């Protein structure tokens, strides 16, 4: 048997860690690793057109599977292109291993062609970033990187010079067991005791949930029933907590709706479950707050806490539920449910008024129809900007759908590359990229990746020929919109020229049929929908402190958006509210 080189050993370790794809763009310093992938039967090289796409795709795959995913870039500019997608993966707690191949080891520090220092450059967007400087070092360093990514749920970066990758691997290299999953974390008894006491003493309790409630839906519902608590959520908590939730009061924050804001401000005790909600202007400062999170570094960094609890949401609630006293007074819960339903009834009128005849097409109508015709287990990837608003308010979670976006990092152009990573995990599952024209055109080259790999991603393009969210930000600052207009082609024609299915929709009556036809198509498809650039959205609660950096405008061109089927959810919940 021929002796392995370092690149082959590197790939073997990735495979043992469960990695099945390596997203990237080939390049000279990366060639030994790419060739090792070519010759390995259990891992594939996914050729993309831009390394930023590779990182976004790996991050999305990791979020869908919960397992380690990987991407790679060649030396200098190649791996630098990874950085934005890696920032997103890291802030989304997605376990990703990035290979930053490097210039020849003998030239490091001498100003060589394409020289950078990737081991330094990626430190801020990773838990671990190190340079492999010898063949003997590689196995242990890669194992350490994998364990950082998996154990701390984030990014690890390994810098590997191309010449070292081509060297013979050391004989009798250690094959240590690899960490490939995270444990559960239970809080200490003292914290549980203190939290039980706080809950029992509080008359009105509200739960505010984030992505840390993944896998804890049943426990959250049981806990809410026992303490008669309204349940609000942040955007990243929507897919995990909103469905089958008779205590739902909507979402707080810049994209919010319903009564979540009131419920968090009018309670005696706010319990934040698995959320690092970034907008402290939407959090109360005059109620008691307890926060439960598996990441101790986020406890108390958004608001003053009366109790910080380090632990998994599910494990913590399992400890609490048997010990807390069941509350019998549900007046606060019923009042918040009624406020929630009333709030939704009010805003939905703006959406329903002749919207099915409105030209250009209202984007909320697009989102509502998309929600109706998409599969019950579809994966939606969502561009940053107004697409975030429409997804937050219209895409209905059900426990099987996934909604993924750059919700913590806030990058443009994320939806299409995330859809690539999501689709590779299961070619039979429907994956829908909710793209804005600005985000789509930023990484439009990777639409060709869909065609090249025959990925059946459906791109639903909200084409308002503008950077809508930026226009709102300018309006709020009293500035005229400037530099926000996009001169766009017929994107459906572009899709067809690329070898994909493409259709353009300009009238509301064409919309449902066009979406259904695209979804029935077996390969990649793009639906170019011309939408109203004046259809913008504002948050449910506005204060002077919230204005900076976001669109909070009272302009008449701003429509207070509807909320789709969520109004039916609220009406259903009202059946639990006693009538006078």
């Amino acid at each position: 048997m021929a002796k392995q080189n370092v690149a082959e050993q590197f790939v073997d370790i990735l495979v043992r860690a469960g990695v099945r794809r390596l997203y990237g763009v080939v390049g000279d310093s990366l060639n030994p690793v790419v060739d090792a992938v070519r010759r390995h039967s259990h891992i594939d090289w996914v050729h993309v057109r831009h390394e930023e796409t590779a990182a976004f795709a790996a991050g999305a795959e990791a979020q869908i599977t919960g397992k380690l995913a990987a991407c790679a870039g060649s030396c200098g500019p190649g791996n630098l292109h990874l950085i934005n997608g890696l920032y997103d993966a890291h802030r989304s707690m997605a376990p990703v291993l990035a290979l930053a191949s490097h210039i020849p080891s003998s030239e490091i520090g001498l100003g060589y062609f394409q020289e950078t220092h990737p081991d330094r450059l990626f430190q801020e967007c990773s838990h671990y970033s190190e340079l492999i400087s010898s063949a003997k070092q590689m196995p242990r360093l890669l194992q350490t990187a994998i364990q950082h990514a998996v154990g701390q749920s984030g990014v690890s970066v390994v810098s590997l010079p191309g010449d070292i990758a081509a060297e013979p691997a050391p004989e009798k290299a250690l094959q240590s067991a690899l960490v490939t999953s995270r444990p559960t974390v239970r809080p200490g008894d003292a914290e549980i005791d203190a939290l039980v006491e706080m809950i029992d003493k509080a008359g009105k309790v509200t739960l505010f949930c984030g992505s840390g409630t993944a896998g804890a839906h049943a426990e959250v519902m049981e806990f809410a029933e026992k303490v008669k608590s309204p349940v609000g959520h942040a955007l990243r908590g929507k897919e995990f907590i909103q469905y089958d939730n008779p205590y739902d009061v909507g979402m707080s924050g810049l994209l919010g709706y319903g009564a979540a804001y009131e419920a968090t401000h009018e309670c005696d005790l706010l319990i934040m479950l698995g959320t690092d909600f970034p907008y402290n202007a939407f959090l109360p400062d005059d109620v008691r707050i307890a926060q439960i999170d598996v990441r101790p570094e986020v406890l108390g960094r958004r608001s003053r806490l009366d109790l910080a609890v380090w632990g998994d949401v599910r494990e913590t609630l399992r400890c609490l539920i048997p010990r807390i006293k069941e509350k019998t007074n549900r007046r606060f819960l019923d009042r918040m449910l009624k406020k929630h339903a009333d709030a939704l009834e009010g805003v939905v009128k703006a959406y329903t008024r002749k919207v099915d005849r409105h030209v250009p097409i209202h984007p909320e109508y697009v989102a509502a129809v998309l929600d109706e015709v998409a599969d019950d287990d579809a994966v939606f990837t969502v561009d940053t900007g107004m697409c975030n608003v429409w997804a937050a308010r219209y895409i209905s979670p059900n426990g099987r759908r996934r909604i993924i976006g750059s919700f913590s990092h806030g990058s443009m152009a994320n939806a299409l590359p995330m859809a690539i990573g999501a689709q590779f995990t299961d070619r039979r599952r429907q994956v829908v990229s909710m793209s804005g024209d600005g985000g789509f055109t930023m990484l439009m080259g990777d639409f060709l990746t869909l065609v090249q790999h025959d990925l059946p991603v459906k791109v639903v393009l909200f084409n308002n020929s503008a950077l809508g969210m930026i226009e709102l930000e300018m309006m709020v600052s009293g500035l005229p919109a400037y530099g926000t207009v996009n001169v766009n082609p017929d994107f459906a024609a572009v899709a067809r020229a690329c070898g994909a299915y493409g259709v353009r929709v300009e009238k509301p009556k064409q919309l449902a049929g066009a979406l259904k036809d695209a979804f029935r198509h077996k390969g990649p498809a793009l639906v170019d929908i011309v939408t109203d650039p004046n259809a913008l959205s504002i948050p449910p609660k506005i204060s002077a402190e919230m204005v900076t950096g976001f669109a909070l405008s009272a302009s008449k061109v701003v429509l207070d958006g509807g909320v789709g089927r969520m109004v039916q959810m609220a009406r259903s919940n009202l059946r639990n509210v006693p009538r006078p």
Side-chain angles (χ1 to χ4, degrees):
M1 180 182 291
K3 185 175 175 61
Q4 274 192 326
N5 64 20
V6 169
E8 291 168 327
Q9 190 180 62
F10 188 99
V11 171
D12 274 349
I13 294 172
L14 288 186
V15 171
R16 285 177 48 222
V19 174
R20 294 295 173 261
R21 279 162 290 276
L22 192 57
Y23 300 89
V25 178
V26 298
D28 53 359
S29 61
L30 195 54
N31 288 344
V33 174
V34 176
D35 189 62
V37 171
R38 178 184 65 82
R39 291 181 284 105
H40 203 295
S41 60
H42 296 296
I43 189 170
D44 294 320
W45 176 261
V46 178
H47 169 54
V48 297
R49 302 306 176 99
H50 195 295
E51 290 91 348
E52 183 176 353
T53 295
F56 273 126
E61 178 182 324
Q63 290 181 70
I64 292 291
T65 65
K67 298 177 180 178
L68 184 70
C71 58
S74 59
C75 63
N79 62 57
L80 277 176
H81 285 158
L82 295 170
I83 198 163
N84 191 51
L86 292 182
Y87 259 99
D88 183 82
H90 194 56
R91 299 188 69 183
S92 299
M93 296 183 67
V96 171
L97 188 285
L99 168 59
S101 69
H102 206 358
I103 63 173
S105 57
S106 61
E107 303 297 331
I108 294 173
L110 299 175
Y112 191 73
F113 175 65
Q114 293 189 321
E115 181 174 11
T116 60
H117 292 87
D119 52 317
R120 305 178 198 170
L121 287 166
F122 292 99
Q123 284 182 354
E124 190 172 316
C125 63
S126 68
H127 291 301
Y128 184 85
S129 181
E130 292 291 346
L131 170 68
I132 294 173
S133 54
S134 74
K136 291 181 180 180
Q137 182 190 17
M138 194 283 292
R140 286 186 299 153
L141 192 146
L142 180 56
Q143 176 182 335
T144 301
I146 289 169
Q147 293 180 178
H148 273 80
V150 173
Q152 296 184 330
S153 291
V155 170
S156 283
V157 182
V158 173
S159 302
L160 177 62
D163 60 314
I164 293 178
E167 287 182 6
E171 294 184 11
K172 298 181 180 179
L174 293 174
Q175 283 206 359
S176 300
L178 294 168
V179 171
T180 57
S181 61
R182 287 169 57 88
T184 57
V185 179
R186 180 196 182 280
D189 291 337
E191 286 74 25
I192 294 294
D193 292 343
L195 190 50
V196 168
E197 183 179 0
M198 287 179 71
I199 294 167
D200 287 345
K201 286 183 177 179
K204 299 176 293 184
V205 179
T206 292
L207 306 182
F208 186 59
C209 303
S211 60
T213 58
H217 184 275
E219 287 79 7
V220 173
M221 295 303 108
E222 184 178 0
F223 183 76
E225 168 57 29
K226 199 162 185 182
V227 298
K228 307 301 182 285
S229 168
V231 178
H233 60 269
L235 178 56
R236 289 192 65 198
K238 173 185 172 73
E239 61 177 324
F240 304 116
I241 215 67
Q242 189 188 31
Y243 69 95
D244 295 340
N245 180 359
Y247 317 101
D248 178 41
V249 291
M251 190 170 83
S252 191
L254 298 169
L255 311 183
Y257 56 83
Y261 182 91
E262 288 86 349
T264 57
H265 283 71
E266 297 180 25
C267 59
D268 300 324
L269 173 62
L270 173 62
I271 304 179
M272 299 174 65
L273 298 176
T275 179
D276 188 28
F277 183 69
Y279 304 110
N280 55 11
F282 287 88
L283 294 173
D285 55 12
D286 57 352
V287 303
R288 303 196 78 195
I289 301 177
Q291 184 179 1
I292 302 168
D293 207 291
V294 73
R295 299 167 296 168
E297 69 272 15
V298 309
L299 294 171
R301 72 178 180 183
R302 307 299 183 197
S303 61
R304 175 199 52 77
L305 295 184
D306 295 278
L307 182 64
V309 181
W310 181 9
D312 294 326
V313 170
R314 185 171 64 178
E315 294 303 313
T316 304
L317 293 182
R318 285 177 173 178
C319 293
L320 287 173
I321 289 168
R323 296 191 50 190
I324 57 174
K325 297 175 184 176
E326 182 164 6
K327 299 185 187 297
T328 57
N329 185 340
R330 50 176 295 145
R331 280 180 294 181
F332 175 63
L333 170 60
D334 292 340
R335 183 163 60 86
M336 290 299 111
L337 289 175
K338 181 69 166 59
K339 275 194 172 187
H340 181 57
D342 290 346
L344 299 192
E345 292 279 5
V347 297
V348 82
K349 293 175 184 175
Y351 157 71
T352 55
R353 191 181 304 116
K354 298 181 180 178
V355 72
D356 58 345
R357 293 180 296 231
H358 187 88
V359 178
I361 302 171
H362 202 294
E364 293 179 86
Y365 180 67
V366 178
V369 174
L370 173 60
D371 184 52
E372 292 283 351
V373 302
D375 288 352
D376 287 341
D377 66 344
V379 178
F380 298 88
T381 60
V382 184
D383 259 344
T384 297
M386 299 311 297
C387 284
N388 264 350
V389 181
W390 315 138
R393 295 187 173 186
Y394 285 91
I395 300 304
S396 303
N398 57 15
R400 291 188 292 156
R401 286 177 165 179
R402 295 298 311 272
I403 305 171
I404 297 174
S406 186
F407 299 142
S408 295
H409 187 49
S411 173
M412 285 182 66
N414 62 287
L416 173 63
M418 284 181 167
I420 291 170
Q423 192 72 83
F424 264 113
T425 67
D426 186 349
R427 288 177 174 268
R428 296 168 297 178
R429 189 175 186 181
Q430 187 180 82
V431 176
V432 180
S433 173
M434 293 179 65
S435 297
D437 57 293
F440 179 74
T441 52
M442 189 176 284
L443 285 175
M444 189 167 63
D446 270 292
F447 187 78
L448 293 168
T449 299
L450 302 184
V451 177
Q452 181 161 341
H453 295 283
D454 194 27
L455 291 173
V457 168
K458 314 307 177 190
V459 178
V460 177
L461 187 59
F462 290 70
N463 180 8
N464 65 358
S465 297
L467 302 177
M469 191 68 81
I470 307 304
E471 287 190 350
L472 246 96
E473 293 174 353
M474 289 179 169
M475 289 163 53
V476 132
S477 300
L479 301 173
Y482 182 74
T484 59
V485 174
N486 295 326
V487 178
N488 290 328
D490 180 335
F491 288 110
V494 172
R496 293 192 295 269
C498 292
Y501 178 95
V503 61
R504 186 173 173 92
V505 179
E506 297 180 351
K507 296 181 180 180
K509 290 183 179 179
Q510 303 169 335
L511 179 62
L515 288 173
K516 290 176 182 177
D517 288 345
F519 289 168
R520 281 192 292 264
H521 182 71
K522 294 185 182 299
L526 183 144
V527 184
D528 179 10
I529 306 167
V530 180
T531 59
D532 187 353
N534 291 323
L536 305 174
S537 180
I538 58 174
K541 291 292 175 181
I542 302 172
S543 69
E545 292 79 15
M546 300 173 191
V547 170
T548 302
F550 191 76
L552 303 173
S553 175
S555 169
K556 290 182 180 179
V557 302
V558 179
L559 301 180
D560 190 1
V563 286
R565 281 195 280 178
M566 282 174 278
V567 71
Q568 279 75 41
M569 288 181 173
R571 285 173 181 152
S572 176
N573 289 339
L574 279 177
R575 288 179 296 193
N576 298 318
V577 180
R579 302 297 181 185

